[in-house]
Amino acid sequence: MAAMSSPDLLFDLSIPLAGTFGLRGEAIGDDRAVVRLPYAPAHANSRGEVHGGALAVLFDCCLAAAVRSHAPAQFGVVTIDLSVHYVAASDGDVVCTAVCERRGRSISFARGEARNAAGDLLALATGTFKLFERAPRA
């Protein structure tokens, strides 16, 4: 898997929401992606823990990256379905690891898990995505 990180891009795509949450792409390739959500008080709930909505953003971006991991700059995705199952809370960085289970001509399926720095499982997710080829950059 290739390591890729840029404050403006998430694996070769400009995704403003990913930038707003500070998501950092750590690795992509071989039908897999790893994305980090750095802890920020602005993304916390009333208890100071990472908000479930922030985890959903992380999963959406990471699972989508796994789906397009075969050609990160060539393809984009549209989320059709995303299911998140929360297991535990976290008050620190969260790392999501995702795998594309099946990539069809247009519909792909992925699953992922989110863990804290200690490796504790925080949440699981599955997603269905529509894959589309992006127009070449001018």
Side-chain angles (χ1 to χ4, degrees):
M1 269 199 299
M4 303 176 75
S5 184
S6 168
D8 300 325
L9 300 175
L10 185 61
F11 304 124
D12 290 333
L13 288 184
S14 173
I15 305 171
L17 183 65
T20 297
F21 278 82
L23 299 185
R24 294 195 329 242
E26 295 191 347
I28 192 169
D30 301 321
D31 292 331
R32 298 179 185 281
V34 179
V35 178
R36 178 179 298 271
L37 170 65
Y39 178 82
H43 306 140
N45 60 25
S46 62
R47 294 177 308 280
E49 299 161 340
V50 178
H51 191 283
L55 289 177
V57 168
L58 173 63
F59 276 123
D60 192 33
C61 291
C62 189
L63 272 64
V67 164
R68 64 185 182 85
S69 66
H70 63 298
Q74 183 180 352
F75 289 92
V77 298
V78 173
T79 306
I80 295 172
D81 179 68
L82 182 67
S83 249
V84 180
H85 302 279
Y86 301 97
V87 177
S90 177
D91 59 2
D93 287 9
V94 178
V95 175
C96 179
T97 303
V99 61
C100 179
E101 293 291 352
R102 183 174 188 283
R103 183 181 300 106
R105 284 180 290 165
S106 65
I107 304 297
S108 298
F109 303 89
R111 66 178 166 82
E113 57 184 38
R115 295 184 178 269
N116 64 14
D120 300 321
L121 181 65
L122 305 174
L124 301 164
T126 57
T128 307
F129 301 87
K130 181 169 178 50
L131 191 66
F132 66 92
E133 194 160 359
R134 300 182 62 78
R137 292 183 189 165

